[in-house]
Amino acid sequence: MSFAGKTAIVTGSNSGIGLGVARELARAGANVVLNSFTDRDEDHKLAAGLAAEFGVTARYIAADMSDPDACRALIAQAGACDILVNNAGIQHVSPIEDFPVAKWDAIIAINMSSAFHCTAAALPVMRKAGWGRVVNIASAHGLTASPYKSAYVAAKHGVVGLTKVTALETAQEDITCNAICPGYVKTPLVEAQIPDTAAKYGMTEEEAVQKVILERQPSKQFATVEQIGGTAVFLCSPAADQITGTTISVDGGWTAL
Ligand code: NAD
């Protein structure tokens, strides 16, 4: 399968899952637009690296996904948008009564509202092209809850709802919208938590991974960014043309519990 000639925009893609998804889309031949809120040489070098490795066009466009105008400007600046992957996200953990209002607002804005603004800007572009695929990176927390993650769980459930509405509004066009719900994925962010978790519980790092971090993941293995990317590629492939408005869990069995 080749996405040659298609342009994929992946929000929040200078690290972790977003970068992994962009890599797999580029491997499949798509031109890619990377994004985050920073504008550093290393951000632009990531795009140049993908272009060199996969022979596609790759660009990095800085845009803050907490800002509605910046979300819409990202799509406009990209000039094309056949595949939109709404991935940007942050986390904060706190009991509801202590949850900082600014953190609540930022998580709702970046994790949920940015998907709305980017989708709103992308759909007219997709309609004009006669084809489009929207892939929202939700979470197992879009389907289940954990204590102390009120904003994150609310935002990710919101993304799953937005996914269904987007699918219904585009159902009779060659546009689909689905959400990927990862469990724990081995990203630099999660890897960095392993030593601290081990120290906190007086465990080895392996025990901390198995007993604490992957407690709710029955496979006892992390998902990988390549697996999330491969799922996104599948959702954009012809085999998935009739898959819309649904969620695909990549969570080692978490939501089967
Ligand atoms: P990460 O921190 O590596 O990636 C988050 C990305 O979002 C980064 O590129 C960051 O720069 C970007 N970002 C943050 N704030 C932004 C802003 N204001 N504007 C633009 N970009 C911004 O983390 P990750 O684990 O790769 O997370 C990516 C997505 O996957 C998130 O939506 C997260 O909720 C989701 N997710 C992650 C896991 C996991 O275990 N890692 C599990 C389920 C879902």
Side-chain angles (χ1 to χ4, degrees):
M1 177 196 29
S2 171
F3 297 144
K6 304 249 187 261
T7 297
I9 302 175
V10 186
T11 71
S13 49
N14 66 351
S15 78
I17 292 173
L19 183 57
V21 169
R23 267 186 80 76
E24 294 312 308
L25 289 168
R27 193 192 303 283
N31 297 322
V32 291
V33 174
L34 301 181
N35 153 263
S36 184
F37 59 93
T38 50
D39 199 4
R40 308 165 299 185
D41 282 352
E42 61 203 83
D43 297 321
H44 294 274
K45 279 186 190 151
L46 284 175
L50 290 185
E53 187 173 354
F54 299 113
V56 298
T57 301
R59 278 189 296 157
Y60 177 88
I61 300 178
D64 183 346
M65 293 296 102
S66 68
D67 174 354
D69 292 339
C71 294
R72 291 166 189 261
L74 168 66
I75 308 300
Q77 211 182 322
C81 183
D82 304 292
I83 297 168
L84 170 64
V85 182
N86 288 308
N87 169 77
I90 59 169
Q91 175 65 287
H92 185 79
V93 178
S94 167
I96 290 173
E97 64 271 33
D98 301 329
F99 211 96
V101 172
K103 285 283 182 201
W104 169 274
D105 288 345
I107 291 175
I108 297 299
I110 296 167
N111 296 25
M112 185 179 74
S113 300
S114 74
F116 164 72
H117 296 298
C118 289
T119 302
L123 286 182
V125 181
M126 292 176 173
R127 288 195 168 111
K128 206 168 168 198
W131 190 92
R133 298 288 177 264
V134 181
V135 179
N136 293 326
I137 306 299
S139 168
H141 282 118
L143 303 168
T144 66
S146 295
Y148 314 123
K149 295 184 177 176
S150 53
Y152 189 85
V153 170
K156 294 297 186 180
H157 276 69
V159 166
V160 171
L162 174 67
T163 300
K164 295 177 187 178
V165 175
T166 306
L168 292 179
E169 292 188 13
T170 56
Q172 294 186 11
E173 301 162 88
D174 198 353
I175 297 173
T176 68
C177 178
N178 295 288
I180 299 175
C181 292
Y184 270 105
V185 183
K186 199 156 194 182
T187 61
L189 206 75
V190 170
E191 272 179 288
Q193 291 170 20
I194 297 173
D196 288 350
T197 308
K200 184 174 164 196
Y201 290 91
M203 295 174 170
T204 65
E205 291 196 4
E206 182 56 24
E207 282 173 333
V209 167
Q210 294 296 317
K211 293 185 180 156
V212 182
I213 295 179
L214 293 178
E215 189 206 349
R216 293 177 73 180
Q217 201 140 306
S219 66
K220 299 295 172 200
Q221 291 180 52
F222 287 105
T224 65
V225 298
E226 289 79 10
Q227 290 162 355
I228 308 300
T231 306
V233 167
F234 164 69
L235 286 172
C236 299
S237 76
D241 281 355
Q242 284 300 312
I243 300 177
T244 195
T246 196
T247 58
I248 297 192
S249 292
V250 185
D251 67 1
W254 176 334
T255 44
L257 277 172

